[in-house]
Amino acid sequence: MRNLITDQDLTKDEILALFESVKELKEKQKRGEPHRLLEGKTLAMIFEKTSLRTRTSFEIGMFQLGGHASFLNSQDLQLGRGETVADTARVLGRYYNAIMARVFDHGNLETLRECAGVPVINGLSDKFHPCQALTDIFTIWERGLDLREITIVFAGDADNNVTNSLMLICARLGIRFRVTCPVEYMPREEIISLAQIDKAADMFPVAIYTSDPKNAARNADVIYTDTWVSMGKEKENKKRIRLLSPYQVNKELVSCAKNDVLVMHCLPAHRGQEITDEVIDSTNSIVFDQAENRLHVQKAILTMLLR
Ligand code: CP
Ligand code: NVA
């Protein structure tokens, strides 16, 4: 039985095969060709945090594949009244063919995986967001860029789920990854070690620039950012905005990269904070292609795990 809890649950070859499958499913969807590969299959979707893209793309994805998805707000489950995650997993595993969960504590995904008896998919945890990172790299790959030749620069809060997942997938695929962030929000040693033990790590010169974001952005093929205040970190709001401001993705920073640099953001964006309107709405920005691709990637993930 397969799960997708972290980016390291898939080998390099599996990721590249997944991309081919995403491409095929996307083309079928665009042509209006039926592809009911999961007829009669069901997905439980547990949400401890809010969501637009993850929730709707999984829900629509299951529908288009001929299956059904149930949205389960954790507050409406008995979890909210103290039923354990393990018991919830045991019950849902008897009704559903798979579980997707968005949780605060990554450990809850591990408990779901141990107890559910069906595939478990990480729909975002405090540590990782693998479905997002797969979509991000697919979005670059489908444009025909050679993944071994590009440099992705992440600017902003580098101690969050999205950066962690990007770092792991870049390590696995051998993509050069640079981070520019304040010392307070650097990637954790634990995540860097995870990335470095990867087989492709010899092709993985992770570089961290704690000052001089412009130098980090030099010659970048992709500039990526995410919110400065991830869900659950709102208490530090003011401190984060103050420390992260120099790492804003604005016209000045983008001008240091290649002319045709791709600007990416997992969304939701806080316009005027981590990214300016001018940049997110520019022709370099591919953020809505990324958002669209969440649908096609979720469908390929579901098909891979459930068929
Ligand atoms: N990018 C992303 O996961 O968006 P949602 O929080 O809206 O699901
Ligand atoms: N890092 C962000 C990602 C949102 C999709 C968060 O966790 O809120």
Side-chain angles (χ1 to χ4, degrees):
M1 196 188 56
R2 301 296 309 272
N3 300 282
L4 181 57
I5 306 285
T6 87
D7 310 77
Q8 292 185 321
D9 286 339
L10 300 180
T11 64
K12 178 178 180 175
D13 287 347
E14 284 170 336
I15 295 171
L16 296 174
L18 185 89
F19 288 174
E20 296 291 349
S21 160
V22 180
K23 184 170 176 254
E24 198 181 319
L25 287 165
K26 184 172 178 178
E27 283 166 4
K28 283 191 174 156
Q29 185 62 35
K30 299 268 179 206
R31 288 198 298 266
E33 207 176 293
H35 45 282
R36 298 172 67 83
L37 302 170
L38 297 182
E39 190 89 54
K41 296 275 168 79
T42 50
L43 174 73
M45 308 193 299
I46 303 174
F47 280 87
E48 291 182 359
K49 303 179 183 180
T50 49
S51 169
L52 170 67
R53 283 143 288 266
T54 307
R55 174 184 173 176
T56 51
S57 57
F58 268 107
E59 193 165 328
I60 295 163
M62 272 309 270
F63 174 76
Q64 291 175 352
L65 290 166
H68 174 81
S70 307
F71 170 71
L72 308 169
N73 180 332
S74 65
Q75 283 309 307
D76 298 336
L77 302 178
Q78 298 291 9
L79 273 173
R81 296 180 57 245
E83 185 165 23
T84 65
V85 173
D87 285 350
T88 304
R90 290 181 185 111
V91 174
L92 291 177
R94 288 175 184 233
Y95 299 156
Y96 290 92
N97 298 109
I99 299 173
M100 186 276 288
R102 169 167 285 197
V103 298
F104 283 97
D105 177 1
H106 188 76
N108 283 343
L109 284 167
E110 288 164 355
T111 307
L112 285 170
R113 178 181 57 193
E114 277 153 34
C115 303
V118 295
V120 174
I121 303 169
N122 181 352
L124 180 149
S125 69
D126 55 342
K127 262 183 153 170
F128 299 113
H129 197 1
C131 298
Q132 180 69 53
L134 284 166
T135 305
D136 299 335
I137 306 301
F138 170 78
T139 306
I140 297 169
W141 176 89
E142 73 169 348
R143 301 177 76 90
L145 273 78
D146 183 345
L147 298 182
R148 290 160 312 175
E149 295 297 326
I150 60 167
T151 300
I152 300 180
V153 175
F154 182 94
D157 176 13
D159 175 25
N160 81 10
N161 40 22
V162 168
T163 329
N164 291 347
S165 278
L166 280 172
M167 198 181 307
L168 293 193
I169 198 167
C170 284
R172 189 132 291 194
L173 298 178
I175 300 172
R176 283 190 295 274
F177 188 62
R178 274 184 220 153
V179 160
T180 181
C181 59
V183 279
E184 290 80 357
Y185 300 114
M186 290 211 334
R188 302 214 172 179
E189 274 307 320
E190 178 202 350
I191 308 296
I192 296 177
S193 317
L194 270 180
Q196 281 172 340
I197 56 163
D198 198 275
K199 286 197 181 63
D202 55 332
M203 295 190 58
F204 174 59
V206 65
I208 301 174
Y209 294 67
T210 50
S211 59
D212 202 0
K214 284 189 194 157
N215 194 27
R218 212 154 299 285
N219 281 325
D221 298 278
V222 176
I223 296 183
Y224 196 118
T225 191
D226 181 16
T227 178
W228 291 338
V229 188
S230 283
M231 291 177 277
K233 301 199 175 156
E234 291 80 3
K235 266 195 214 145
E236 282 184 11
N237 205 336
K238 277 197 185 141
K239 179 183 164 202
R240 286 178 164 272
I241 293 172
R242 178 169 50 82
L243 292 173
L244 285 154
S245 290
Y247 302 85
Q248 184 188 59
V249 175
N250 50 34
K251 205 174 152 193
E252 229 184 317
L253 189 76
V254 170
S255 70
C256 301
K258 290 188 177 162
N259 281 340
D260 55 354
V261 63
L262 301 174
V263 174
M264 302 182 76
H265 192 307
C266 56
L267 301 178
H270 299 76
R271 288 167 175 258
Q273 288 192 12
E274 73 273 6
I275 193 162
T276 58
D277 281 328
E278 194 177 23
V279 169
I280 199 172
D281 297 327
S282 71
T283 50
N284 294 88
S285 165
I286 55 166
V287 302
F288 295 104
D289 292 341
Q290 267 176 279
E292 177 193 335
N293 283 337
R294 292 296 304 279
L295 169 65
H296 309 298
V297 171
Q298 319 294 33
K299 287 165 72 176
I301 292 169
L302 290 163
T303 307
M304 176 184 70
L305 298 178
L306 287 176
R307 273 179 93 201

